[in-house]
């Protein structure tokens, strides 16, 4: 289990000029035994917010599972699809946030940002904040990142992130009230080394079995390991480095917010 890899950025405490709490923390990379435990942690992350303007970052991995949106449960043969995928070694889980089927595995990294809804935070603003943070990380490796919808990939959405024309990250979002505060949790699935062909296969198998129309092309999905072959033989150290850079980007973004600045949308 990889742990404590971002301990240097594990807690950053600050107080705004108005004297309000602005505590932020980075949760070290958690390797969960099952994906349902990781999803449970993700969906309850906002409950750990205890003061205004607080941001929490969670990074996690787990064995294979396909996480679907609530709309997918209304497909005519959803139960049959669940049984079919379980037989393939891909249990199906249902998330609170929107979107369609998205993979979780030891070859993906789940990046989750939970925060209180401050003035100026909108659905788009929360998505942009997380995509800009991920963009900063990927560009630090020399990668060129494009953010736009990728309709032929898994879980298509306006904030899909692609490298070399292939989707490497998909995002979803959930708003809820916790401890008397309105919160928003924005989550990304980053494809690190899971095989694009396997992702397309399991997504297509689910929708075919469930009676859905959505399909995923292998050619529309990428993986960071493919884009950065130099790291191919050092997967463990790459994941640690990836998480450290993500934690650092999170910390830098916090300082921009505290200084009254905002990251540009590109």
């Amino acid at each position: 289990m990889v742990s404590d890899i971002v301990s240097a950025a594990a807690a950053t405490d600050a107080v705004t000029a108005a004297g309000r709490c602005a505590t932020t923390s980075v949760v070290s990379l958690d390797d969960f035994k099952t994906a349902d435990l990781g999803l449970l942690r993700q969906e309850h992350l906002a409950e750990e917010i205890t003061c205004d303007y607080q941001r929490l970052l969670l990074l996690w991995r787990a064995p294979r599972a396909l996480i679907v949106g609530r709309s997918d449960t209304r497909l005519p043969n959803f139960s049959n699809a669940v049984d079919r995928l379980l037989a393939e070694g891909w249990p199906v889980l249902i998330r609170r946030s929107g979107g369609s089927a998205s993979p979780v595995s030891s070859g993906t990294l789940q990046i989750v940002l939970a925060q209180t809804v401050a003035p100026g935070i909108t659905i788009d603003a929360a998505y942009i904040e997380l995509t800009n943070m991920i963009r900063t990380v990927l560009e630090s490796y020399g990668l060129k990142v494009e953010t736009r919808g990728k309709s032929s990939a898994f879980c298509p959405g306006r904030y899909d992130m692609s490298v070399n024309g292939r989707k490497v990250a998909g995002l979803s979002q959930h708003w809820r009230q916790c401890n008397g505060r309105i919160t928003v949790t924005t989550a990304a699935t980053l494809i690190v080394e899971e095989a694009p062909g396997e992702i397309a296969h399991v997504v297509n198998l689910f929708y075919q079995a469930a009676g859905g129309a959505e399909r995923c092309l292998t050619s529309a999905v990428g993986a960071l390991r493919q884009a950065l072959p130099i790291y191919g033989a050092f997967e463990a150290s790459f994941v640690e480095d990836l998480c450290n850079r993500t934690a650092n980007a999170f910390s830098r973004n916090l300082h921009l917010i505290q200084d009254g600045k905002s990251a540009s949308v590109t």
Side-chain angles (χ1 to χ4, degrees):
M1 176 177 178
V2 182
S3 63
D4 300 326
I5 60 174
V6 289
S7 57
T12 302
D13 295 329
V15 178
T16 67
R20 293 170 295 190
C21 172
T23 304
T24 68
S25 62
V26 179
V27 181
S28 59
L29 173 65
D30 284 329
D31 279 329
F32 290 96
K33 291 183 179 180
T34 59
D36 59 329
L37 293 176
L39 182 60
L40 184 67
R41 179 81 170 85
Q42 172 177 314
E43 296 195 328
H44 287 273
L45 184 63
E47 295 174 10
E48 299 175 25
I49 294 175
T50 58
C51 54
D52 295 337
Y53 303 99
Q54 188 174 14
R55 283 170 164 77
L56 302 176
L57 180 69
L58 170 67
L59 310 172
W60 67 276
R61 296 187 302 178
R64 285 178 169 178
L66 190 69
I67 300 183
V68 303
R70 284 174 292 184
S71 61
D72 290 324
T73 66
R74 296 190 286 272
L75 292 171
N77 300 314
F78 174 74
S79 296
N80 291 338
V82 170
D83 292 339
R84 180 71 184 276
L85 262 70
L86 184 60
E88 291 272 332
W90 285 87
V92 174
L93 304 175
I94 304 166
R95 64 174 178 261
R96 288 174 174 170
S97 56
S100 53
S102 184
V104 168
S105 75
S106 59
T108 70
L109 179 65
Q110 308 302 311
I111 304 173
V112 187
L113 176 62
Q115 60 184 303
T116 53
V117 177
I121 295 295
T122 63
I123 292 173
D124 286 333
Y127 273 125
I128 290 168
E129 181 176 354
L130 186 55
T131 56
N132 281 350
M133 189 173 74
I134 295 171
R135 176 189 297 275
T136 297
V137 173
L138 300 187
E139 288 181 347
S140 73
Y141 290 106
L143 298 175
K144 184 177 180 180
V145 183
E146 181 182 39
T147 302
R148 59 180 298 182
K150 195 77 174 176
S151 60
S152 55
F154 66 93
C155 193
R158 289 186 297 137
Y159 292 97
D160 292 343
M161 304 187 73
S162 300
V163 172
N164 298 330
R166 291 171 172 254
K167 179 172 177 175
V168 296
L171 282 74
S172 64
Q173 193 178 104
H174 180 65
W175 290 58
R176 61 183 296 213
Q177 188 165 11
C178 295
N179 302 319
R181 299 175 180 86
I182 299 176
T183 67
V184 55
T185 300
T186 309
T189 294
L190 183 63
I191 309 301
V192 179
E193 65 163 0
E194 185 62 69
E198 179 65 16
I199 292 174
H201 166 70
V202 72
V203 169
N204 291 337
L205 181 62
F206 171 77
Y207 285 109
Q208 288 168 358
E214 189 166 321
R215 295 293 183 269
C216 175
L217 299 178
T218 299
S219 60
V221 182
L224 295 186
R225 186 170 180 174
Q226 293 178 337
L228 296 168
I230 188 174
Y231 285 97
F234 306 101
E235 186 273 333
S237 61
F238 174 49
V239 171
E240 289 190 11
D241 184 65
L242 185 63
C243 290
N244 278 320
R245 294 190 192 205
T246 302
N248 289 335
F250 175 67
S251 179
R252 287 195 299 271
N253 186 57
L254 166 68
H255 293 310
L256 285 173
I257 292 168
Q258 290 172 350
D259 291 340
K261 302 174 183 177
S262 61
S264 60
V265 180
T266 53

